[in-house]
Amino acid sequence: MLDVAVIEEPAAAEASLDPIRRRILAALAEPGSAAALAARLGLARQKVNYHLKELERHGLVELAEERRKGNVTERVYRATAASYVISPAVLAAVSPDPSRSPDQLSARWLLALGSRLVQEVGTLLTGAARAQRRVASFGIDAEVRFASAADRTAFADELAEAVATLVARYHDESAPGGRSHRVVVGLHQIPAAPAPAASPAPDSDTDTGSAPDAVPDSGPGQENAR
């Protein structure tokens, strides 16, 4: 079983989004038969069998083993991955395009970069799986708490300069046999966890929870200014 699998086909994405099939996929983190799944999920075995066939057809579950019980052969399935990501390639013509309006201060552009990352890495993983090879990649995940917006701006400026310096040092357009790599660096505020629902006191203002830092609305690229 893979840790993460990328869904690139629209039909497979549609199959994975069905509520019952999502429950089956989650349950098949551990192998199970249609009968076992039906009992665990409180569904009719016939219905579970139908959904299992659809999930298998789209490569989301696979046959783990067959058990012989008297005159009956029990088929045991497992999910092909512990979790799934739907690639923006599923939406094809309407998937985000970072080259359309590049803007380092735009949260929507950052989202477009992330979407391209999922699509490109997903394509690499699919090809590597077929060739039984590994994908060469590198990632950094860090959390930083800024004392002020000015510190955040200074950090972003220094980070941009450091990345630009490294890219200039190692980029070789004419290297024989060289391979192009994508470098993506993003900075965004971590969303606050949803606050527990509570009944407001009579005649009192309702607190809707913490909001991101406010920024002037001065154009399409300013919704997440540094």
Side-chain angles (χ1 to χ4, degrees), residues 95-150:
S95 62
D97 180 5
S99 66
R100 190 174 299 144
S101 54
D103 184 347
Q104 286 185 319
L105 301 182
S106 170
R108 290 182 174 84
W109 188 61
L110 180 60
L111 188 61
L113 289 177
S115 297
R116 184 179 63 186
L117 174 70
V118 171
Q119 183 170 337
E120 291 183 344
V121 175
T123 299
L124 288 173
L125 285 172
T126 300
R130 290 173 183 157
Q132 296 186 331
R133 299 180 63 181
R134 296 186 62 183
V135 175
S137 63
F138 172 72
I140 296 177
D141 179 30
E143 182 178 333
V144 56
R145 184 179 180 88
F146 297 109
S148 66

Side-chain angles (χ1 to χ4, degrees), residues 197-218:
S199 300
D203 301 324
S204 66
D205 294 334
T206 301
D207 183 4
T208 56
S210 58
D213 295 344
V215 295
D217 186 7
S218 57

Side-chain angles (χ1 to χ4, degrees), residues 55-67:
L55 290 170
E56 184 180 25
R57 186 162 68 91
H58 294 295
L60 301 175
V61 304
E62 61 188 3
L63 184 65
E65 63 174 310
E66 291 184 332
R67 299 170 180 165

Side-chain angles (χ1 to χ4, degrees), residues 7 23 30 42 67 70-71 102 133 147 162 213 219 224:
I7 299 174
R23 293 174 63 196
E30 298 292 334
R67 299 170 180 165
N71 295 326
R133 299 180 63 181
D213 295 344
N224 194 32

